[in-house]
Amino acid sequence: MPTVLNIVSPMDALPPPKMEGVDVKVFYGAKQALFDVSLPVRNRSVTAMIGPSGCGKSTFLRCLNRMNDVILGARVEGAITLDGQNVYDKTVDVVQLRARVGMVFQKPNPFPKSIYDNVAYGPRIHGLSANKAELDGIVETSLKKAGLWKEVADRLDQPGTGLSGGQQQRLCIARAIAVSPEVILMDEPCSALDPIATAIIEELIDELRQNFTIAIVTHSMQQAARVSQYTAFFHLGYLVEYGETRQIFTNPKEARTQAYITGRFG
Amino acid sequence: MANLAQPATTRLNSPQAVARRRRQYMRERAIEALLFACAAVSVVVTLTIVLVLIRESLAFFSHVSIVEFLTSRTWTPLFSDAEYGILPLVLGTLLSSLVALLVALPLGMVIAIYLSEFAGARVRETLKPFLELLSGIPTVVYGYFALLIVTPLLQATILPNLPGFNVLSAGIVMGIMIIPYISSLSEDAMRAVPDSLRDGSLAMGATRLQTSIKVVVPAAFSGLAAAAVLAISRAVGETMIVAIAAGQQPNFTFNPTESAATITAYIAQVALGDLPHGSIAYQSIFAAGLTLMAMTLVFNLAAYWLRKRFREAY
Ligand SMILES: Nc1ncnc2c1ncn2[C@@H]1O[C@H](COP(=O)(O)OP(=O)(O)OP(=O)(O)O)[C@@H](O)[C@H]1O
Ligand SMILES: [Mg+2]
């Protein structure tokens, strides 16, 4: 049995957790995919989740905005808190939760609508703008924050699906931030992109950290090292090690972490 | 047995191998020719029908001017002072199809959205056979259903002055008949929309209903349009229901509560009678048939255009 090791770093400089998993267990039918994972996602910083394929990174990420609810037969135990409140509480409205915790997927999935309508989708659903001018403003700011404005300002009425892969992913990021979420979850957001598009997104993530709390799943160790402040290493459904990214990559406490980051398995 | 130690090129060029490839090639060609022949038969049949229609229509138009055919509001080919204005029949056809579409489109779409986006697998598998059954009912049964049940029902409730033969009942029942066309094609189109789009919408905090209406339906638009057009074509070509329940009097009207004849009803009526071959009335059914085909063609072109215009990439 692998042991669960939750490294509690010294309290002083660390930002407080924005979200936190407490003894999270996830089952898909009879199969358990996560075992007692306890993991903070700290405020206004980037938390990276790494680990070999099938270790439960996406599963944990999907607990944070309850996207596991959509999967037939998925069951979550334990608690996930957002600002101290359990998001799996009966009183929590999942619509509200997902407005506060946005998500960007592995494969860019813009809706088959115009660029404008893609970004305006969330604000319209949640009734965030009183009039067209306000909505225009939200769309523009979101596209600017996603670093896409300059490229699409003159063709907002064109379909979002006509953009390049990297642009589509930035459009999805713009779509996610248009409802001013507090947390953004990203599941391998660059795995379908070329190195240049990846570099742009990584830069963007670093900027977004000023305003948002970010949790990102990645298969690239370099990417985790470049963009994150905290790293969690998963293996076979267990959280093996969590700590500041610098420490995880230079001085891992667990042999398995060491083996994984040096490329000896995975 | 080929010697494995030989280089591959030598083995591939051995006489046996060459002969085998030759046989294989001949067989492929034979199968290809057979498949082509099957495809060709359908083309030949279609062309023959069109040619016959055109030939008989040309004979018709040598007696009746195209202008009269397309503009006169009276269609009385069986009277002694015959008039040949196709408009009443075209109107009857469009009106009954429109009523059918007004019934079938909303219902079919709602059913499709429910089946594709909400129903569990078990409910879906139970419901679908019943739906398919609707299109399996013989149209003559539908015709009498319209005449003997729907019309009296409408007369007893909201339309006391409804005549016994009317376009409305025929259209409503025709709508019920084409619901499965719309619902099952629409459901297919919606289920082809990738889950990644639904996930994207749900993760934005949209409800399932919002996701269905704002993402899935627009994403499936071209498929839905195709379903609607196929249903229209089916309604425009439907004969039995309108012949039985809508009356067979050509009537230039936009009012569905009146009786009217459709192109198909007229053709059926005349084709069953004993008209002398080669008479103008006999030839008129070919001109009517050609008109019907032209209408269907227009709908299909519209569908093609819709698909191109709103082709959704996802
Ligand atoms: N919808 C599902 N139904 C059943 N089992 C699932 C489902 N999704 C994931 N699993 C299982 O749960 C385990 C964890 O999967 P998860 O997708 O979280 O892994 P991951 O770390 O994200 O892997 P990857 O790096 O390949 O994306 C795997 O064993 C997987 O097979
Ligand atoms: Mg994953």
Side-chain angles (χ1 to χ4, degrees):
Chain A
M1 259 298 173
T3 50
V4 183
L5 228 159
N6 201 358
I7 307 295
V8 181
S9 314
M11 285 304 293
D12 42 325
L14 295 187
K18 177 75 184 172
M19 297 195 80
E20 193 159 20
V22 184
D23 291 331
V24 177
K25 305 178 191 61
V26 177
F27 302 83
Y28 292 111
K31 181 178 179 299
Q32 187 164 3
L34 278 186
F35 299 83
D36 306 294
V37 172
S38 294
L39 174 68
V41 178
R42 296 190 187 281
N43 201 19
R44 309 240 159 148
S45 53
V46 180
T47 302
M49 286 160 219
I50 59 171
S53 192
C55 66
K57 309 177 293 289
S58 302
T59 299
F60 183 77
L61 203 69
R62 284 199 305 264
C63 290
L64 297 176
N65 64 345
R66 291 186 48 178
M67 278 301 277
N68 282 331
D69 292 12
V70 182
I71 298 171
L72 215 72
R75 185 159 55 84
V76 178
E77 287 177 12
I80 301 272
T81 62
L82 172 61
D83 288 337
Q85 196 199 7
N86 186 0
V87 304
Y88 278 93
D89 206 279
K90 293 248 179 322
T91 59
V92 168
D93 178 7
V94 64
V95 167
Q96 292 295 319
L97 170 69
R98 289 176 189 159
R100 293 176 66 189
V101 183
M103 190 167 207
V104 175
F105 295 80
Q106 174 167 1
K107 223 176 123 250
N109 58 351
F111 302 135
K113 299 172 180 291
S114 71
I115 293 171
Y116 183 97
D117 287 339
N118 261 282
V119 183
Y121 187 76
R124 280 183 177 141
I125 281 179
H126 297 288
L128 298 185
S129 60
N131 53 47
K132 176 88 168 79
E134 225 177 297
L135 190 58
D136 289 351
I138 295 178
V139 170
E140 180 172 342
T141 345
S142 309
L143 284 168
K144 277 182 176 154
K145 280 193 202 153
L148 192 59
W149 177 252
K150 283 203 196 99
E151 290 153 71
V152 301
D154 56 343
R155 47 171 171 152
L156 292 178
D157 56 342
Q158 306 268 309
T161 41
L163 298 172
S164 76
Q167 289 174 325
Q168 285 189 17
Q169 196 60 303
R170 277 179 285 152
L171 178 61
C172 292
I173 293 175
R175 184 174 74 190
I177 58 189
V179 293
S180 314
E182 296 153 51
V183 183
I184 302 176
L185 313 175
M186 301 185 170
D187 195 345
E188 302 183 41
C190 303
S191 64
L193 306 182
D194 65 67
I196 293 172
T198 300
I200 295 174
I201 302 259
E202 286 182 5
E203 216 171 290
L204 179 61
I205 292 172
D206 206 51
E207 282 167 28
L208 292 174
R209 170 160 70 92
Q210 312 302 322
N211 299 303
F212 304 97
T213 300
I214 295 170
I216 180 173
V217 169
T218 175
H219 267 138
S220 154
M221 242 73 71
Q222 292 87 339
Q223 182 168 72
R226 277 193 301 261
V227 303
S228 74
Q229 287 73 55
Y230 305 95
T231 297
F233 170 60
F234 287 75
H235 188 215
L236 299 174
Y238 290 86
L239 174 66
V240 176
E241 186 166 359
Y242 166 80
E244 290 188 62
T245 298
R246 206 174 330 117
Q247 175 254 314
I248 295 278
F249 281 93
T250 55
N251 187 21
K253 298 205 163 47
E254 286 283 315
R256 271 179 296 163
T257 316
Q258 169 87 32
Y260 183 69
I261 61 175
T262 53
R264 263 179 279 144
F265 73 91
Chain B
M1 252 326 208
N3 178 4
L4 288 180
Q6 274 177 324
T9 46
T10 323
R11 254 181 291 138
L12 285 175
N13 290 328
S14 72
Q16 300 96 313
V18 169
R20 199 171 48 99
R21 276 208 301 280
R22 209 179 168 77
R23 277 198 309 276
Q24 206 165 22
Y25 175 77
M26 296 304 283
R27 200 167 56 222
E28 296 268 326
R29 287 305 299 266
I31 290 172
E32 202 181 307
L34 191 71
L35 294 178
F36 176 80
C38 294
V41 166
S42 68
V43 174
V44 168
V45 169
T46 311
L47 282 181
T48 311
I49 292 175
V50 173
L51 280 179
V52 168
L53 275 182
I54 290 178
R55 205 191 59 202
E56 297 291 329
S57 299
L58 282 179
F60 173 79
F61 285 122
S62 66
H63 300 287
V64 178
S65 84
I66 290 203
V67 178
E68 181 195 342
F69 183 71
L70 292 179
T71 57
S72 163
R73 298 180 173 193
T74 321
W75 179 262
T76 50
L78 306 181
F79 293 6
S80 49
D81 55 342
E83 278 195 63
Y84 300 96
I86 192 79
L87 282 182
L89 295 184
V90 170
L91 263 185
T93 303
L94 289 180
L95 206 57
S96 57
S97 301
L98 186 72
V99 173
L101 208 63
L102 287 179
V103 171
L105 205 55
L107 276 173
M109 289 288 289
V110 167
I111 291 172
I113 290 176
Y114 173 72
L115 286 180
S116 153
E117 305 299 310
F118 292 90
R122 184 129 38 92
V123 177
R124 184 166 52 232
E125 295 323 314
T126 321
L127 275 181
K128 281 185 82 165
F130 283 99
L131 269 175
E132 314 282 325
L133 218 60
L134 277 184
S135 54
I137 297 175
T139 52
V140 64
V141 175
Y142 274 120
Y144 282 102
F145 179 67
L147 182 67
L148 302 177
I149 294 181
V150 177
T151 298
L153 208 67
L154 288 172
Q155 286 166 333
T157 51
I158 45 175
L159 294 167
N161 295 326
L162 194 68
F165 293 112
N166 62 84
V167 174
L168 186 62
S169 305
I172 291 174
V173 170
M174 211 150 76
I176 296 172
M177 181 191 72
I178 61 178
I179 284 175
Y181 288 81
I182 295 196
S183 67
S184 95
L185 284 174
S186 303
E187 189 208 335
D188 290 346
M190 289 196 272
R191 266 146 71 83
V193 172
D195 276 338
S196 66
L197 291 184
R198 291 185 186 87
D199 288 349
S201 172
L202 293 171
M204 292 298 303
T207 62
R208 281 217 281 174
L209 188 61
Q210 285 170 326
T211 301
S212 316
I213 292 170
K214 293 175 187 233
V215 173
V216 179
V217 168
F221 183 85
S222 60
L224 304 183
V229 171
L230 186 84
I232 297 180
S233 301
R234 182 73 185 78
V236 164
E238 169 50 32
T239 310
M240 238 22 202
I241 299 176
V242 280
I244 294 173
Q248 304 200 345
Q249 296 306 314
N251 183 1
F252 186 88
T253 180
F254 294 91
N255 181 356
T257 62
E258 290 180 22
S259 77
T262 63
I263 298 179
T264 52
Y266 170 73
I267 294 176
Q269 181 192 7
V270 171
L272 291 177
D274 42 2
L275 282 172
H277 246 258
S279 69
I280 301 182
Y282 171 80
Q283 285 159 349
S284 74
I285 66 176
F286 291 93
L290 196 64
T291 311
L292 189 63
M293 232 178 92
M295 284 169 69
T296 318
L297 189 68
V298 168
F299 287 127
N300 285 324
L301 288 178
Y304 180 75
W305 180 82
L306 277 173
R307 292 192 86 116
K308 265 181 78 120
R309 173 74 182 69
F310 294 99
R311 193 182 45 213
E312 306 295 358
Y314 39 69

